[in-house]
């Protein structure tokens, strides 16, 4: 048979087939070398890609900044999917803005030389050791971040070019005194107003609610009728604080602890000394005699501080009257220390003492005897300490047993509760925003609303809430987010449609009044509304509704004694007709200081810079391709 196979393989047909097979494998091999995976892109700005890697790095940097700024509050914010979606979108928009600025800088021909790039890189503290640039640290940090040195230098070059652009725009801005005075005049301007309100509720009887209107409103606002995802949970909680409350401490335990730790309940003796030192490396009768003479003077009432300043060889203490401060055992010459601790009364003088440095006269300047609190004074403190110590030991023992039982019996918490000597706590359905108690903590919420955790329906591992405070949770019921049907929200939709229809009728009536062209008082009479005067109304402050104030100061000034009329609709649907009768500018005659001029220059620079970004973005061809991300990816 093998012989027939050998003979058959020599035929023309077999050779053609074999050649095709070899060619196929060869092409496949070459293709594997030539083809490289395409890097994911989150946006394209004027043909320039913003890579997924660049976006991920920016996202991580922004997360770190937010966590540092807001601490634990950031975890609460990050638990909100809507917030995180907006957060990710904002990061992308900042990258797009950055890319547009760099493109504009290149278009203007802004460039930075190699020397400036080098100076910038070497001055960065991240690349320095003891204030000196380190090449090893530079290369190590770049490798860790995934950059090549040349690539990083080009990034710095582009950033410096962008900085040139910003400095050119911001640095060229300036403020004039007339601009500040004009701004202050506008801010302090007052207006004489009259207004009256057309209440939307007065048109309630004229509103016609049809099924078509309800359906249209429901479809246009369908996102308002989404029910949030909800879970019902079971959990067991363990804390050292709750364990401590049940621990009994006997009087004998308190007494034993007191005796064993008596030093903790008092203060040690505290003494401060001063000295006069006559320097001598060896025994010297003449120096000793001089010290004796000084001691006699002191015993006869001479001032110790004055003699120390005049005669002491210890110049540092002599400047302070010989004061050495607090005396600590074991830190001074043994002979000196023994004599100092032998003094028993404040102000007492020692005899002349010989140490390895010379001859001393020591004075006890401060003496605070050792004190010890009685058992009765510290009994409550000791009881709390003993309870806490026992509770901590018991907590860690129970925590280990809890973890084991919750793992071995993963589909219920009954045995776990039995081990802890407690009961399983259960909740009704709740959403991320309506969670209460320990379940409202971000770490717990993230676990409870994790898709895989919900699907499995098993116990969590031991989750730490705080030091010596843990919980094990499981999901017992889950309701996904859904859109409520029109029948379910019909009452809510009907109320909303009714309010909208009333608001439309109120606005239509107000438009008719304004079109009539009558005197404002006549319009108020026709509307059967109370006319209210508001003379000298300021731009800021006061009791006038915000919408009315904003409208009044946006309206044109009266011309030739003719009042300016307009209307504004309030949030509740009511319409306010406003008449601006007089505009009184503020008289500003002060001369702005340098700080005010700088402030208005910064304000104008920011406005112009934002306007430039808006223009660049409006003229750019931008394609956003940010993929949808789940909440779990943000942690």
């Amino acid at each position: 048979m093998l012989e027939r196979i050998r003979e058959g393989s020599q035929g023309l047909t077999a050779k053609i087939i074999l050649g095709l097979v070899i060619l196929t494998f060869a092409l496949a091999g070459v293709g594997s070398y030539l083809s490289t995976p395409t890097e994911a892109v989150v946006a394209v700005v004027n043909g320039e890609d913003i890579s997924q890697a660049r976006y991920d790095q920016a996202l991580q940097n922004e997360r770190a900044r937010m966590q540092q700024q807001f601490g634990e509050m950031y975890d609460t914010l990050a638990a909100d999917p809507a917030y995180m979606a907006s957060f990710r979108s904002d990061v992308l928009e900042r990258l797009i803005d950055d890319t547009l600025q760099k493109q504009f800088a290149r278009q203007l021909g802004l460039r930075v030389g190699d020397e400036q790039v080098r100076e910038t890189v070497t001055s960065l503290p991240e690349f320095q050791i003891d204030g000196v640039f380190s090449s090893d640290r530079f290369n190590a940090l770049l490798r860790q971040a995934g950059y090549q040195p040349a690539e990083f230098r080009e990034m710095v070059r582009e950033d410096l070019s962008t900085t040139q652009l910003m400095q050119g725009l911001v640095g060229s801005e300036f403020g004039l005194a007339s601009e500040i005075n004009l701004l202050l005049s506008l801010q302090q301007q007052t207006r004489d107003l009259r207004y009256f309100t057309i209440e939307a509720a007065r048109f309630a009887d004229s509103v016609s609610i049809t099924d078509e209107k309800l359906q249209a409103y429901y479809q246009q606002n369908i996102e308002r009728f989404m029910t949030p995802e909800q879970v019902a949970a079971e959990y067991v909680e363990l804390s050292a604080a709750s364990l401590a409350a049940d621990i009994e401490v006997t009087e004998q335990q308190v007494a034993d602890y007191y005796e064993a730790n008596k030093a903790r309940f008092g203060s040690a003796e505290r003494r401060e000394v001063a000295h006069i030192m006559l320097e001598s490396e060896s025994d010297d009768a003449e120096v000793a005699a001089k010290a004796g003479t000084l001691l006699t003077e002191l015993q006869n009432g001479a001032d110790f501080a004055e003699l120390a300043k005049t005669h002491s060889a210890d110049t540092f203490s002599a400047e302070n009257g010989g004061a050495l401060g607090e005396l600590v055992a074991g830190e001074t010459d043994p002979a000196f220390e023994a004599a100092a601790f032998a003094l028993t009364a404040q102000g007492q003088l020692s005899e002349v003492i010989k140490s390895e440095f010379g001859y001393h006269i020591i004075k006890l300047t401060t003496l605070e005897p050792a004190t010890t609190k009685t058992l009765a004074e510290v009994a409550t403190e000791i009881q709390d300490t003993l309870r806490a110590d026992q509770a901590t030991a018991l907590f860690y023992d129970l925590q280990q047993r809890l973890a084991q039982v919750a793992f071995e019996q993963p589909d219920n918490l009954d045995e776990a509760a039995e081990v802890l000597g407690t009961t399983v706590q259960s909740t009704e359905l709740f959403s991320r925003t309506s969670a209460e108690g320990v379940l409202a903590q971000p770490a717990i919420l993230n676990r409870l609303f994790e898709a895989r955790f919900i699907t499995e329906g098993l116990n969590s591992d031991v989750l730490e809430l705080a030091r010596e405070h843990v919980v094990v949770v499981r999901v017992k019921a889950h309701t996904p987010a859904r859109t409520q049907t029109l029948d379910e929200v019909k009452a809510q939709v009907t109320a909303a449609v009714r309010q909208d229809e009333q608001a439309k009728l109120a606005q239509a009536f107000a438009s008719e009044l304004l079109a009539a062209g009558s005197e404002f008082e006549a319009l108020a009479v026709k509307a059967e509304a109370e006319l209210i005067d508001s003379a000298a109304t300021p731009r800021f402050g006061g009791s006038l509704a915000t919408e009315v104030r904003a409208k009044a100061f946006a309206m044109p000034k009266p011309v030739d004694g003719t009042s300016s009329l307009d209307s504004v609709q309030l949030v509740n649907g009511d319409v306010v007709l406003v008449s601006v009768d007089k505009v009184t500018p503020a008289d500003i005659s002060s001369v702005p200081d340098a700080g005010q001029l700088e402030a208005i220059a910064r304000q104008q620079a920011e406005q112009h810079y934002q306007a430039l970004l808006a223009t660049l973005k409006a003229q750019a061809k931008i394609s956003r391709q940010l993929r949808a991300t789940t909440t779990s990816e943000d942690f």
Side-chain angles (χ1 to χ4, degrees), residues 462-596:
V462 176
L463 305 175
E464 186 175 26
L465 298 171
R467 186 173 179 271
E468 297 178 355
H469 188 187
V470 298
V471 67
V472 174
V473 299
R474 65 183 300 271
V475 174
K476 67 174 183 178
H478 172 248
T479 301
R482 69 177 183 88
T483 303
Q484 300 176 83
T485 65
L486 177 57
D487 289 338
E488 290 177 293
V489 294
K490 191 166 187 177
Q492 181 181 348
V493 172
T494 300
V497 170
R498 186 178 301 279
Q499 185 176 10
D500 281 358
E501 292 295 312
Q502 291 175 179
K504 291 176 183 177
L505 292 173
Q507 183 62 63
F509 181 63
S511 298
E512 290 177 8
L513 289 178
L514 290 174
S518 302
E519 290 294 328
F520 200 66
E521 294 85 349
L523 297 180
V525 172
K526 188 175 182 180
E528 299 178 354
E530 178 186 4
L531 185 63
I532 300 175
D533 285 326
S534 180
T537 304
R539 186 182 292 270
F540 307 106
S543 58
L544 198 63
T546 302
E547 301 98 323
V548 177
R549 185 187 307 277
K551 171 58 70 173
F553 279 89
M555 292 165 60
K557 296 180 181 180
V559 179
D560 299 331
T562 303
S563 298
S564 180
L565 305 182
D566 207 341
S567 67
V568 59
Q569 190 152 36
L570 307 183
V571 176
N572 64 359
D574 294 349
V575 178
V576 179
L577 269 67
V578 183
S579 171
V580 176
D581 301 325
K582 181 182 178 183
V583 174
T584 306
D587 183 16
I588 306 297
S589 58
S590 60
V591 177
D593 57 29
Q596 290 176 307

Side-chain angles (χ1 to χ4, degrees), residues 233-255:
E234 292 180 335
Y235 66 98
V236 289
E237 187 178 0
L238 173 65
S239 70
S242 61
L243 294 174
D246 298 328
I247 292 176
E248 299 262 344
V249 177
T250 66
E251 291 183 2
Q252 186 60 48
Q253 287 175 312
V254 173

Side-chain angles (χ1 to χ4, degrees), residues 101 162 165-166 169 604-614:
Q101 292 173 67
T162 305
L165 172 63
M166 295 175 61
L169 290 171
Q604 291 177 343
E606 176 64 23
Q607 291 173 349
H608 293 163
Y609 189 68
Q610 293 302 324
L612 171 63
L613 281 179

Side-chain angles (χ1 to χ4, degrees), residues 81 225-234 427-436 439 444-445 447-451 453-455 474-484 488:
F225 307 114
M226 287 284 294
T227 61
E229 182 183 22
Q230 293 182 307
V231 297
E234 292 180 335
T427 73
E428 299 297 324
L429 287 168
F430 63 89
S431 66
R432 281 182 175 271
T433 57
S434 63
E436 297 179 347
L439 300 186
I444 308 303
L445 279 176
R447 179 57 62 87
L448 286 172
F449 284 91
E450 186 181 296
F453 185 66
I454 291 171
T455 302
R474 65 183 300 271
V475 174
K476 67 174 183 178
H478 172 248
T479 301
R482 69 177 183 88
T483 303
Q484 300 176 83
E488 290 177 293

Side-chain angles (χ1 to χ4, degrees), residues 609-626:
Y609 189 68
Q610 293 302 324
L612 171 63
L613 281 179
T615 302
L616 291 175
K617 187 171 287 188
Q619 296 175 348
K621 185 177 180 181
I622 301 173
S623 171
R624 296 169 179 83
Q625 303 167 20
L626 183 61

Side-chain angles (χ1 to χ4, degrees), residues 47-58:
E48 183 176 340
D49 293 345
I50 298 177
S51 68
Q52 182 73 46
R54 180 183 170 193
Y55 169 79
D56 290 341
Q57 183 64 51

Side-chain angles (χ1 to χ4, degrees), residues 210-225 486 489-501 504:
T210 64
D211 290 340
E212 289 76 13
K213 290 181 180 180
L214 296 179
Q215 184 65 36
Y217 184 90
Y218 173 76
Q219 291 296 335
Q220 293 167 6
N221 300 273
I222 198 165
E223 69 281 352
R224 293 176 52 184
F225 307 114
L486 177 57
V489 294
K490 191 166 187 177
Q492 181 181 348
V493 172
T494 300
V497 170
R498 186 178 301 279
Q499 185 176 10
D500 281 358
E501 292 295 312
K504 291 176 183 177

